[in-house]
Amino acid sequence: MADKASSLPLVFVNLERDAERRARLEAELARLNLQGERLHAVWWADLPAAEQDALYSAQLNRAQYYKPLVNGEKGCYASHIQAWRQLLASDAPAMVVLEDDVRLDDRLADGIAAIAALDIPWDMVKLLGRVQEKVRSQRPLLSDVALVEYQRVPSMTAGYVVSRAGAAKLLATRVPFGRPIDVDLRFWWENDLRILGTVPSLLILDETSFVSSIWSEKPRVPLRQKLRKFAMKLGLSLGNARHRRTQSRL
């Protein structure tokens, strides 16, 4: 089954300056006999103002999120948008997208092949979640890996498989964006995304994931922002609970 994983393109997001991360991930891919293409990560400050305005909406940000996004968050989202556009510019049915701070589970190639062969509708399958996920429904993916429907979509975006339908939905409804990508995907019902996952995860966060290469130390959150954050989380919880009831199980 692992050979079928090569039928899907795989890209990994990497900044030019992060040569060590690139080398580490390329070695991991070679270990599993997977082919991966480096996707040049977006350094937000290098984008022309017109391109920044086309990708990020300060007005949308004020309506959706509790604080303005920093350049690292904007560049991260823009990098994933590049991947989605690259998928739709190809004739591939789906694409594997990795960030460069992950290590690969030995079952990853078989997992990708099994996802590519799924006979159910899906837009995205996350390859990394929290240690203990709340699962609404599940079905076998591999002998020791389950395909799951989350009770609440986790915020991690370090690795996933996105289908053509999923990429089209995201590009049609999330450009421009106003939230960080990991938060935006949690509001899946806004663009009718079918986001699934794997349990156990098929990726492991590398130790470099704890040292961000795209933003510096986060500032303290003022009280006003804390209140806005609480309201956003409440809206997330209520929206998720309401729309989960209308979605079919695996």
Side-chain angles (χ1 to χ4, degrees), residues 53-71:
D53 291 341
L55 289 168
Y56 172 69
S57 167
Q59 181 179 2
L60 194 59
N61 169 260
R62 288 190 293 270
Q64 291 184 331
Y65 201 51
Y66 67 95
K67 67 181 181 68
L69 301 195
V70 299
N71 282 357

Side-chain angles (χ1 to χ4, degrees), residues 28 31-32 34 102-111 127 142 144-145 200-204:
E28 283 279 279
R31 178 177 65 83
L32 297 185
L34 287 170
V102 295
R103 289 182 288 117
L104 313 182
D105 186 276
D106 291 345
R107 297 164 290 189
L108 178 62
D110 284 339
L127 302 171
L142 302 175
D144 53 353
V145 178
S201 297
L202 296 177
L203 299 175
I204 306 102

Side-chain angles (χ1 to χ4, degrees), residues 99-124:
E99 295 181 353
D100 63 3
D101 57 352
V102 295
R103 289 182 288 117
L104 313 182
D105 186 276
D106 291 345
R107 297 164 290 189
L108 178 62
D110 284 339
I112 293 171
I115 291 167
L118 285 174
D119 59 356
I120 58 172
W122 61 277
D123 295 313
M124 179 179 288

